[in-house]
Amino acid sequence: LTLTNTFSRNETLDAIAAGKYPNLRDRVFPHNPQTEETYIVGPNMGKLSSNASSTWLTAQQAQELQTTDKICPWCGEAPRSILTHFSAACWYFGQALTDELGADAPPMGLIASSVGGTMIELWTPREQLSNCKNTSCGDKIDPKDCGSLYNGMVCPFLNMTTKGFLWYQGENNVFADTGNSMDKTG
């Protein structure tokens, strides 16, 4: 869920315009499915894309910068701020942490590495899927695609120093299948 769907319900947009949350930097990581694990090393982190949304921006910069890039294909052609395309779960986590810590809040880089409407098998290493029963690999998903978003959108960050990680997986795997993590089904 992007921020564009939530700004009308709270004061966050006004707070950003007033300069609140200067410690938060956000970045939208481009869609990058890969057949093999891909890592980012050294100065290449800043050169992932020529897309403006793929650079580190303060919330105020991201709100002011308009784009028509297809970060959000369903949002139409009208220019929108880059911030409205950012992950709501990721942003509100950083905002709540900043509010809780107050003046002691450290700088935080928030990275939205997401693809809407995807199933968890795309985000899971292929070798781990062999330990699971009832996966969608080979059924609803082409086996060569299983693990592709893990390879291209999670692996790039594994060799970096991080202090925290927030995972939000939607409900695209639910369908009619039920499962239980204890018996490795579903």
Side-chain angles (χ1 to χ4, degrees):
L1 180 66
T2 60
L3 283 170
T4 193
N5 299 311
T6 65
F7 274 154
S8 62
R9 294 183 223 146
N10 61 52
E11 298 81 31
T12 298
L13 197 55
D14 292 335
I16 291 168
K20 193 169 180 184
Y21 308 113
N23 64 311
L24 299 180
R25 302 289 186 275
D26 61 64
R27 180 186 193 133
V28 177
F29 192 70
H31 296 186
N32 187 34
Q34 297 289 320
T35 56
E36 300 296 325
E37 292 181 358
T38 306
Y39 298 93
I40 300 171
V41 293
N44 293 328
M45 177 60 185
K47 299 177 182 173
L48 297 173
S49 171
S50 59
N51 185 328
S53 65
S54 293
T55 58
W56 291 105
L57 300 169
T58 65
Q60 214 167 17
Q61 289 170 327
Q63 178 56 29
E64 293 168 0
L65 190 58
Q66 300 290 305
T67 183
T68 55
D69 290 344
K70 291 296 183 185
I71 304 166
C72 170
W74 57 89
C75 293
E77 297 294 326
R80 303 176 73 95
S81 84
I82 287 177
L83 188 62
T84 61
H85 297 293
F86 198 72
S87 162
C90 189
W91 173 265
Y92 291 126
F93 176 77
Q95 177 180 318
L97 196 54
T98 297
D99 289 344
E100 182 70 26
L101 296 172
D104 295 329
M108 291 182 236
L110 306 174
I111 302 170
S113 183
S114 57
V115 180
T118 55
M119 298 177 81
I120 193 65
E121 288 86 351
L122 299 173
W123 296 94
T124 307
R126 278 190 210 113
E127 62 274 6
Q128 295 301 317
L129 290 169
S130 64
N131 298 323
C132 300
K133 298 176 187 174
N134 301 330
T135 70
S136 295
C137 289
D139 180 21
K140 296 175 184 147
I141 302 173
D142 187 330
K144 71 175 175 46
D145 292 333
C146 288
S148 63
L149 295 178
Y150 171 81
N151 291 337
M153 297 181 72
V154 175
C155 278
F157 304 104
L158 294 180
N159 63 348
M160 297 179 186
T161 301
T162 60
K163 299 288 183 178
F165 190 90
L166 175 69
W167 179 263
Y168 171 73
Q169 170 69 25
E171 297 79 29
N172 213 46
N173 277 81
V174 176
F175 300 114
D177 299 331
T178 57
N180 182 318
S181 63
M182 296 303 288
D183 64 11
K184 300 181 182 177
T185 62

